Every structure is written in C-alpha cells, then in structure tokens.
Amino acid sequence: MTSVLAVLCGLAFIGKGVTHILDDGAVCVQTDFWRNASLANSLPVGAGVKASSSATRLCQDSPSVGQRAADLGGELPWLLFGALALLLFSRLLKAVMGQGPFTEAVAHRLSILGWFVTVGTPLAGLVVGWSQSWLVGSMAPIVGSGPTVSGPLVLALAGLTAVIMGKIMREGVRMREDLEGTI
C-alpha cells in the first residue's frame, strides 16, 4: 500500500510540474507582511500585480518564467519529500515483512528513513520559504522579507526519534546474535 502511495505522490509531483509549466494563468502568493498595516490605495506593488483588499494576497496576471518557477518551488518540494519518504517507508515495511522486525536490515532502513526525514523536512521547508519570499519580492519590490522556513518542522523530531530507534534496534540485534552464539 505504501508503495502505491509513493508512486501516486511521485505522479502528483510530475503532473503538478507539467501542468504548472504549461499553465498561462496568474501566479498568486500569500504574504503576511501587511497584515496589521492600514494601507489605502498606495500599496507598494509592482506593475501588473493585483493585491487583495487586506493586502495579504498578491497575484501577477502575466508572470515571468522566474515567477512561475518560484510558484512551483512553493508546492513541489513537499510532494517530492512525501514521495521519497513513502518509498523509504515502503522499503522498511518490506524488510520487516520479509526478515522480521529485529534484523540489521530493518534497523539500517529505519535509520535511513529517520535521517531523510530529519534533514529533508527543514530542507524542503527552506526551498518553499525561499521560493515564496522571492515571489513576494518580485511582486512587491519594496518588501525586503528574508527567506523563511515553512512546513511542519516537528517532523524533524520524528526523524530523530527514528534514527535513535534504529540505533537501539541495531544494538538489540547484536545482543540477540551474541545470545544465539552463546547458547
């Protein structure tokens, strides 16, 4: 089942990229820069950019290639991260089903999955944050918002937990092998 989900996430990644490249519609981005500001009609936005009444949503009707790529960079990293995490999880489950839960292969694959989630979560969040920050900056040049990290960063803690559990399982496998050798 997880293999099917991984493939579906991969297909969603490819489909989203292809349809977004072929799309010629507006590119929109959400920003909280002006959330508490009281701006009338003098919003510091670029030419061709439409702002919502609260000035938290900016849309460019005829975006440049860079703006379209930055908009794509706000969506694709999490799809790719999800597809790869599900693929690694599928390999972990396959090892559990084939060899049993307390084997060196399972401990190794659990550690790999943990490191991937630990490093991949903030990396995907940075790519999304940088893309959105650049997109806001291209639509509203006066806004100097720096790159942000978006997404569920608590996943990094889950990844570290998986790394630790992989090390504990590896030590348990060694202890079991020593015990089997003694008996």
Side-chain angles (χ1 to χ4, degrees):
M1 183 65 170
T2 56
S3 297
V4 171
L5 288 174
V7 168
L8 287 176
C9 272
L11 289 174
F13 173 79
I14 292 169
K16 186 72 169 178
V18 169
T19 57
H20 199 75
I21 288 172
L22 298 177
D23 184 23
D24 61 350
V27 169
C28 295
V29 67
Q30 195 76 19
T31 179
D32 294 331
F33 185 77
W34 292 293
R35 182 187 316 191
N36 295 325
S38 57
L39 301 171
N41 291 330
S42 60
L43 294 175
V45 295
V49 176
K50 295 178 185 172
S52 66
S53 61
S54 62
T56 57
R57 183 170 172 84
L58 303 172
C59 291
Q60 177 81 41
D61 284 333
S62 56
S64 68
V65 174
Q67 287 174 324
R68 190 158 304 281
D71 186 40
L72 196 56
E75 299 172 15
L76 287 187
W78 288 115
L79 283 173
L80 181 62
F81 173 78
L84 293 175
L86 283 171
L87 182 66
L88 290 173
F89 185 66
S90 172
R91 290 178 38 103
L92 172 68
L93 289 180
K94 210 175 280 184
V96 168
M97 298 299 286
Q99 301 172 5
F102 301 105
T103 62
E104 183 68 31
V106 171
H108 180 70
R109 288 183 181 172
L110 183 61
S111 293
I112 288 173
L113 176 63
W115 280 116
F116 177 77
V117 171
T118 300
V119 173
T121 299
L123 187 64
L126 274 173
V127 170
V128 169
W130 282 337
S131 294
Q132 289 178 343
S133 175
W134 186 89
L135 191 58
V136 168
S138 72
M139 290 184 191
I142 294 175
V143 179
S145 65
T148 59
V149 179
S150 68
L153 293 180
V154 72
L155 286 177
L157 294 176
L160 286 174
T161 303
V163 170
I164 292 168
M165 287 304 298
K167 290 184 184 248
I168 291 171
M169 286 180 68
R170 188 171 288 126
E171 192 60 35
V173 167
R174 286 191 191 115
M175 288 172 56
R176 187 185 78 193
E177 288 172 354
D178 287 346
L179 182 63
E180 286 175 357
T182 304
I183 297 176

